[in-house]
Amino acid sequence: MTDIYPGAPRVHTLSDFDFALPPELIAQHPAPERSASRLLDGRAAEPADRIFRDLPQLLQPGDLLVFNDTRVVKARLFGEKASGGKLELLIERVLTTDGPGNEVVAHMKVSKKPLPGSTVHMAGGKAAGGFDATLLSRWPDAGGPLFRFALHGPAGETPWELMERHGHLPL
């Protein structure tokens, strides 16, 4: 996809990540022999299926090999508004992790959006072992597609720790 305004940051919406992925194309378990894992060779015009143990023979002097040691963050959180209405947050980024701030930016899926200043109860709410979140504003500006929240969990617990403890994989 080309940007209309080159150099402008790309704003993603939840629908950008909504696509059909048949279950049979999703690995359910790692290969019994790790070196037998699938490897997609994209060097030619038509990608070729290979296995990981082929990698040393595919590399040429001067090639750059990049290791990706990232993992999927449990950024999908379920909660409810004070009225009892259900909502879902998908944390897109953590803004601050210090002090009472613990600010994050998230996509929000809810039937009726709460007003800024409203508190929502995530994973049962703070009183039930979860945490609360206060809607601060739209993001990055008043008309932005995302929502900025301050998370209120146990003292000293960062958004990363709250997501690890209460979140779900965004699959």
Side-chain angles (χ1 to χ4, degrees):
M1 175 177 176
T2 54
D3 291 324
I4 296 172
Y5 304 105
R10 168 81 163 94
V11 176
H12 295 280
T13 63
L14 190 57
S15 63
D16 290 332
F17 303 96
D18 187 17
F19 57 90
L21 182 58
E24 63 272 12
L25 296 181
I26 302 170
Q28 301 300 312
H29 305 284
E33 183 185 336
R34 294 305 295 238
S35 62
S37 297
R38 295 176 66 188
L39 176 67
L40 185 62
D41 181 355
R43 296 175 304 159
E46 188 67 29
D49 281 317
R50 302 198 188 281
I51 56 174
F52 191 75
R53 76 170 68 92
D54 295 339
L55 183 61
Q57 292 79 36
L58 300 173
L59 296 174
Q60 300 294 317
D63 282 353
L64 173 64
L65 186 60
V66 177
F67 289 92
N68 179 355
D69 64 352
T70 60
R71 63 184 184 92
V72 178
V73 176
K74 296 178 180 179
R76 187 177 185 197
L77 299 158
F78 298 97
E80 60 184 41
K81 301 183 292 184
S83 66
K86 304 296 182 204
L87 68 100
E88 178 182 332
L89 297 181
L90 179 61
I91 307 294
E92 187 199 77
R93 70 183 68 185
V94 173
L95 298 176
T96 63
T97 59
D98 55 342
N102 273 343
E103 290 185 18
V104 300
V105 173
H107 296 271
M108 181 169 39
K109 186 187 249 183
V110 65
S111 60
K112 185 176 179 194
K113 306 273 190 259
L115 297 173
S118 299
T119 297
V120 295
H121 309 290
M122 306 306 297
K126 196 171 183 179
F131 65 98
D132 294 330
T134 302
L135 176 58
L136 301 174
S137 64
R138 299 289 292 235
W139 194 87
D141 53 43
L146 303 175
F147 298 86
R148 187 170 59 101
F149 285 91
L151 307 184
H152 313 288
E157 198 158 11
T158 68
W160 302 109
E161 292 165 327
L162 291 170
M163 286 187 284
E164 182 60 33
R165 191 154 50 96
H166 302 289
H168 302 270
L169 295 177
L171 302 175

